[in-house]
Amino acid sequence: MEKNQRKATKMIPELRNLSYERRIQRLELISLEQRRLRGQVIETFKYLNGLDNITQEGLFERDGNVRTKNDGQKLLLRNFKTSQAMNFFPVEIATAWNQLTENIVSAGSVNTFKNRLDKFWITNPPLLHRTNPICP
């Protein structure tokens, strides 16, 4: 699908010579990679707030330190020794989640969370490449 989005944005004559990243920025679109991350972060919000019918056992561990940027809603990153483990869903999402502010993660509803997340990511785009300082 990303390939199709790349081709479609090249069809606009005045954007044809720009890089893909610049084209989607000018068109106020988001990449499919960012759209996937957005969906995963929204599902994490629902999971952490008990809005899904999933037993909350062991997928994420909250950081008990209340002096964090998102006021105790921060997720702990576990130390892993393999690159396969670092790409495990909870590790990827915890990294994105921990960048969010307390105002976002304490939203009272899913729609409020989505709106705040979108506004935040306009000025603070998420890190999309799988880089994890925990894994050697």
Side-chain angles (χ1 to χ4, degrees):
M1 285 182 58
E2 189 93 28
K3 188 176 176 181
N4 293 335
Q5 185 167 316
R6 284 178 184 271
K7 283 183 181 180
T9 58
K10 271 196 167 187
M11 292 178 167
I12 302 167
E14 56 271 11
L15 301 179
R16 186 171 293 154
N17 295 325
L18 297 176
S19 68
Y20 172 64
E21 289 77 20
R22 296 283 296 154
R23 289 193 308 269
I24 62 172
Q25 184 180 38
R26 293 278 282 292
L27 294 169
E28 297 181 8
L29 299 173
I30 62 173
S31 70
L32 296 177
E33 186 178 10
Q34 185 174 343
R35 190 174 299 146
R36 280 190 290 275
L37 179 62
R38 180 182 183 271
Q40 292 169 341
V41 171
I42 291 166
E43 289 303 315
T44 301
F45 173 81
K46 291 195 264 183
Y47 173 82
L48 292 173
N49 289 285
L51 302 173
D52 276 338
N53 293 328
I54 300 173
T55 308
Q56 294 188 14
E57 292 182 18
L59 187 59
F60 295 106
E61 186 177 345
R62 292 185 197 238
D63 187 346
N65 181 2
V66 294
R67 288 183 271 159
T68 61
K69 180 168 63 173
N70 52 17
D71 196 28
Q73 300 279 344
K74 187 174 182 178
L75 301 176
L76 285 176
L77 291 170
R78 296 184 183 121
N79 291 325
F80 291 106
K81 297 188 191 272
T82 67
S83 61
Q84 291 170 332
M86 105 177 162
N87 291 327
F88 182 54
F89 175 80
V91 176
E92 284 187 30
I93 298 309
T95 302
W97 181 267
N98 290 343
Q99 295 171 3
L100 304 178
T101 64
E102 190 265 335
N103 181 49
I104 299 167
V105 300
S106 65
S109 71
V110 176
N111 283 333
T112 301
F113 177 79
K114 289 178 186 179
N115 292 334
R116 290 177 183 174
L117 176 66
D118 292 342
K119 286 179 185 174
F120 179 75
W121 276 357
I122 288 170
T123 57
N124 304 286
L127 300 174
L128 296 174
H129 300 289
R130 295 178 181 188
T131 56
N132 189 337
I134 293 174
C135 186

